[in-house]
Amino acid sequence: MRNRVREERVQRELSQAELASVLGVSRQTVISIESGRYLPSLPLAFRIARFFEMPMEKMFDPEEEGI
């Protein structure tokens, strides 16, 4: 599943550690989500989309494989 987490984080000039802190997850989790190795739980996906003020379907695209 393609996601825009890395793009949005970089655009806002946030480090992976800063984003992880805001979301209440580890930096490793953010790295794994950004690389597409880990699909976030539904509650975490909602937190990410809300944080970036984006609709869920824009942040995560289930139709696209990879990043």
Side-chain angles (χ1 to χ4, degrees):
M1 175 183 314
R2 183 188 188 299
N3 71 69
R4 298 178 49 92
V5 176
R6 177 178 288 138
E7 298 163 44
E8 296 299 320
R9 177 184 59 76
V10 169
Q11 183 177 338
R12 287 165 177 76
E13 300 180 351
L14 292 169
S15 70
Q16 290 170 328
E18 290 169 328
L19 179 58
S21 177
V22 167
L23 297 174
V25 298
S26 70
R27 183 176 148 271
Q28 189 61 40
T29 297
V30 171
I31 291 168
S32 295
I33 291 169
E34 287 184 351
S35 69
R37 289 189 315 254
Y38 174 74
L39 295 177
S41 66
L42 194 54
L44 177 54
F46 273 111
R47 282 199 312 267
I48 293 168
R50 269 193 222 115
F51 176 77
F52 289 116
E53 299 176 335
M54 267 189 156
M56 178 84 81
E57 61 275 7
K58 227 177 167 182
M59 181 60 67
F60 299 96
D61 187 351
E63 300 299 317
E64 289 191 38
E65 292 286 322
I67 294 184

